[in-house]
Amino acid sequence: MEKIVFNGEIIERSKVKVDIEDRGYQFGDGIYEVIRVYNGQLFTKKEHINRLYESAEKISLSIPYDKNEFLQTLEELVAINELGTGIIYLQLTRGTFQRQHGFPSSEITPTYVAYTREMPIPQSLMDEGVKGLLVEDIRWLRCDIKSLNLLGNIMAKQKAAEAGCYEAIQHRGKEITEGSSSNVFIVKDQCLITRPATNLILNGITRQVILRLCENNGISYREEVFTINDLLEADEVFISSTTSEVMPIVQVNDHAIQSGIPGPVTRKLQQLFKQEIEKK
Ligand code: PSZ
């Protein structure tokens, strides 16, 4: 039987009950993370846990576990569930309280849930590349928080799916922000360009790994705002996320990116990323 973490304890999934007045359920008042697991090992676990605690801080939610304890339980769960390659999904909500918009007037315990799922590396998509659809970014102005409020993101992703595309590439006016669940990169004249991590995007852990790989391997990059036009005219385009790693975008709407195949810088970064996984 599948085990999960519920409020810090590893228990049977079927034993878990969440209240109808849980603030995550009613308001999306909570935060989450997705951690990649390769061969039973958590990839960039410290970075994910740090971001979780940062998101918590930004919404004034205090996590009643210390970071080491937190990670230890997750590693135990991966072992118990015999997860090979997949993900850990975890979320914390502000907890259960009689419905009111303002924070609960007395101390309540956050509701914490984590579970595992098998998920292979999407190798054939990474080899061939995928399509993106441009979608206006209608989200709020704190996209730096990994919040459970994902309506803007899921509506964008759904539009992309209905158009037969893998990802929605969001833009605020002319400026590209990020994917519905990924960061966006372009390559122009041998230089990688990605938007600076401000309040308008989530500072992806994969994004940070990629920038570090650039630094260590002599690939030049700039963190700079770029436009729809820059994207369409780029030499290469790719997106990054925990589950999609370095995913080439070979077509945007009806427009092929150059000759419509993954480019050399993208390929190089995929290879460096693979080495990074194997190091851990
Ligand atoms: O399984 C999936 O589809 C996943 S796992 C992580 C994501 C999707 N998305 C993370 C994400 C995001 O939701 C937004 C809005 N921007 C960027 C990212 C990339 O963040 P990392 O690299 O930390 O996963």
Side-chain angles (χ1 to χ4, degrees), residues 2-3 29 34 48 75-76 88-89 99 103-105 151 159 200 211 223 232 248 253 257 264 266:
E2 190 194 350
K3 294 281 203 295
D29 183 5
V34 180
H48 282 282
E75 282 172 336
E76 215 176 303
I88 302 171
Y89 174 84
R99 189 178 188 279
F103 291 178
S105 38
L151 265 180
K159 273 192 184 159
L200 295 183
L211 296 183
E223 290 177 272
L232 296 174
N253 293 6
I257 301 302
T266 308

Side-chain angles (χ1 to χ4, degrees), residues 32-35 44 48 51 87 117 119 139 143 145-146 150 153 157 166-167 170 178-184 201-208 240-245:
Y32 77 107
E33 278 295 328
V34 180
I35 305 175
T44 54
H48 282 282
R51 186 172 65 186
I87 55 148
R117 178 154 39 117
M119 198 184 287
R139 300 172 304 157
C143 298
I145 303 171
K146 204 160 169 60
L150 289 174
N153 306 63
K157 183 76 98 190
Y166 182 82
E167 178 61 306
Q170 300 177 101
E178 64 178 339
S180 72
S181 61
S182 61
N183 293 115
V184 181
I201 67 163
L202 183 76
N203 189 2
I205 305 299
T206 319
R207 173 188 182 280
Q208 296 169 50
S240 72
S241 84
T242 291
T243 47
S244 292
E245 301 183 359

Side-chain angles (χ1 to χ4, degrees), residues 181-227:
S181 61
S182 61
N183 293 115
V184 181
F185 294 73
I186 63 172
V187 178
K188 191 71 187 174
D189 302 327
Q190 303 294 322
C191 187
L192 194 64
I193 306 170
T194 197
R195 197 185 169 100
T198 62
N199 61 308
L200 295 183
I201 67 163
L202 183 76
N203 189 2
I205 305 299
T206 319
R207 173 188 182 280
Q208 296 169 50
V209 170
I210 290 165
L211 296 183
R212 179 161 50 78
L213 289 172
C214 285
E215 235 148 63
N216 297 342
N217 293 277
I219 300 169
S220 58
Y221 74 87
R222 301 198 300 267
E223 290 177 272
E224 204 173 271
V225 169
F226 59 93
T227 64

